[in-house]
Structures are given as structure tokens and as C-alpha cells.
Amino acid sequence: MGAHILIVEDEEKLARFVELELLHEGYQVNKAANGRDALKDALENTYDLILLDIMLPGLNGLEVLRRLQKEKPTPVILLTARDAVMDKVSGLDAGAVDYITKPFAIEELLARIRVALKLHPVVAGAVQQEDSALMVQEGILTWGPLTLDEPRHQVKYANHEISLTNREFLMLKTLLENQDIVLSRDTLLEKVCGYEYMGETNVIDVYIRYLRSKIDDVFSVKMIHTVRGVGYVVKSWEAEGRE
Ligand code: CA
């Protein structure tokens, strides 16, 4: 049986769309359209995950989150507006495990749900296996022969050192931390340039091009994949079928 997810969203069409996608993925789904119903439902039932819109009638999402977290540690992914910087910060402070900015690509939401369920299991048995190909050892991320050493701020490919700027380094780190998850330009922009960045998202394409020229081209590998209309992904070395 799939994980049980509560969708809290007052935009009926969006809620219905997400519900259908989640059902299609095999999850069990309930919905709430205002803050009070959501809080009541979340307190009375056991959910593996809650998708929580912030702008809600009755009780706003952040208040629902705060009250819920006092009672039980159900993981929550916030659905936020593009420019609601403070909401994201207070939401993460209040205990949300992640947030996604509206409008979002459904593939990205599904990927974030999978990650949240894996990292924050509520019910025993909710996590089937630890199949993450991502290896984290004292701040070192790897992708086959490539290593990113965060404390030393050093990137190597089979012991050849690669010189990256700060933002290229951050971009690579974000991609490696999210292997097999397609990241949108907006997500990358926030991670690489910060919440406050108001410029064009095509700077992301520029950094991707720099990274490819310093890694993919030099070492004749295909590391960064473009997913048309969605964003970019580094598929795990194993998922690429490499030895
Ligand atoms: Ca809303």
C-alpha cells in the first residue's frame, strides 16, 4: 500500500490535479481545502506526508504547520508563491521538510515527495529500501570518478582537480545532492543565487554550460542532462548503467 498523503490546497483545480497524479503513482490521498479542516484531519489521522499550501482560508498554512508540529512530527512540504521569501524561511524554521514554488512541474513535486518520504519515514515500513546511490562521507559527494569535497571546496575527476567558481561549485553540489531528481531552473536559482535573486533564470543555463565545459567536455562524460521544459538532472552513476 502506498504512502498516505494529505493535500491541503484551496485552489480546487490544482488540488484535483495533484490528487490524480498522486493516485496514479499509487499513493493514498486525502484533501482539505482550508486550514482548520487540514489541522483537524492531520491531528486525527496518521499521514506519511502533508502537502501544505500557505495561502489558505481560515488558518494559514504556516499556522497549521506550527500547531501541527507541536503535536506530531508529520513531514510537511510547503507549496509557496514565487515571491514569498519570508514564507519559505519561516516555513522551514517551523519544521517543514521542504517547499516547492508554485507553479511547479509535477515531476519535481513527485521527486520531492519521494525524497521526503525516504528521509522522513513516519510509519514503520514506509521506507522500503535504502537505494540512494548518493554517498555522503564527511561532506564529500561523489559521482563515479568525480568527487566534490565541500569542506575543502575542491572538485576532482579521477584525481584531476577542476577549478570552479563559487556559483559553479554550488550548482554542482546541488545537482549531486539531488541525483536522479530533475531540478527546475527556479529551484537551482534559489539554491545557487539565494532567495532574493531577482534576475533572469537563464543565468542557470549559463552556469550549466560552464560546468559542462569544465567536466563533461574535458572528461568525455555526459554528467548533466537537460530535461526539456523542466530543468536539469545528474543521474546517479549507477542509474546511468556505468560500472
Ligand atoms: Ca491558496
Side-chain angles (χ1 to χ4, degrees):
M1 228 171 10
H4 207 163
I5 299 177
L6 176 64
I7 302 170
V8 185
E9 171 60 72
D10 59 319
E11 288 163 56
E12 204 177 313
K13 276 170 83 175
L14 178 60
R16 180 69 184 144
F17 169 67
V18 174
E19 179 185 30
L20 289 174
E21 292 288 337
L22 295 188
L23 290 172
H24 182 73
E25 294 294 311
Y27 297 113
Q28 304 175 71
V29 180
N30 279 47
K31 283 186 299 181
N34 69 64
R36 290 190 194 285
D37 289 351
L39 185 61
K40 188 163 177 286
D41 193 341
L43 290 174
E44 283 171 3
N45 299 291
T46 301
Y47 288 101
D48 297 294
L49 182 70
I50 299 175
L51 302 179
L52 181 59
D53 183 31
I54 291 188
M55 298 289 280
L56 288 170
L59 205 57
N60 81 43
L62 289 176
E63 198 50 40
V64 172
L65 175 65
R66 283 193 199 97
R67 295 195 198 180
L68 175 69
Q69 295 283 307
K70 278 187 208 158
E71 308 290 329
K72 58 206 287 193
T74 311
V76 170
I77 296 179
L78 291 172
L79 312 178
T80 73
R82 175 78 180 93
D83 51 356
V85 175
M86 280 317 294
D87 285 350
K88 293 168 192 168
V89 176
S90 5
L92 294 173
D93 283 349
V97 298
D98 201 358
Y99 63 82
I100 188 162
T101 305
K102 292 199 264 187
F104 47 78
I106 192 70
E107 293 82 1
E108 186 179 357
L109 179 64
L110 293 174
R112 282 167 183 273
I113 288 172
R114 285 193 293 273
V115 171
L117 289 172
K118 185 187 275 185
L119 295 179
H120 307 277
V122 170
V123 187
V127 174
Q128 278 107 24
Q129 78 265 37
E130 277 300 325
D131 62 351
S132 174
L134 176 65
M135 300 216 311
V136 185
Q137 284 174 337
E138 296 164 28
I140 298 178
L141 297 164
T142 69
W143 182 79
L146 183 136
T147 55
L148 181 148
D149 184 333
E150 201 182 355
R152 293 189 182 81
H153 210 274
Q154 197 175 57
V155 177
K156 286 182 175 179
Y157 192 97
N159 283 327
H160 298 280
E161 195 161 342
I162 303 165
S163 161
L164 299 181
T165 64
N166 269 332
R167 283 188 168 171
E168 290 164 359
F169 186 89
L170 259 179
M171 174 88 104
L172 181 61
K173 174 173 170 275
T174 305
L175 287 164
L176 291 179
E177 281 172 340
N178 293 281
Q179 287 177 44
D180 298 321
I181 297 177
V182 182
L183 299 174
S184 68
R185 286 177 180 78
D186 280 340
T187 300
L188 284 167
L189 199 64
E190 287 189 358
K191 303 277 188 204
V192 175
C193 302
Y195 295 121
E196 294 83 7
Y197 182 81
M198 284 298 166
E200 296 293 318
T201 57
N202 66 12
V203 301
I204 291 304
D205 304 303
V206 174
Y207 291 130
I208 291 283
R209 206 152 60 228
Y210 290 155
L211 278 179
R212 280 176 172 154
S213 74
K214 289 182 177 182
I215 300 171
D216 296 42
D217 298 353
V218 175
F219 301 101
S220 303
V221 285
K222 186 147 178 60
M223 179 175 71
I224 303 171
H225 297 266
T226 306
V227 181
R228 281 179 71 106
V230 185
Y232 295 101
V233 62
V234 167
K235 291 180 191 157
S236 60
W237 189 261
E238 291 78 4
E240 294 263 35
R242 301 186 222 236
E243 297 278 307

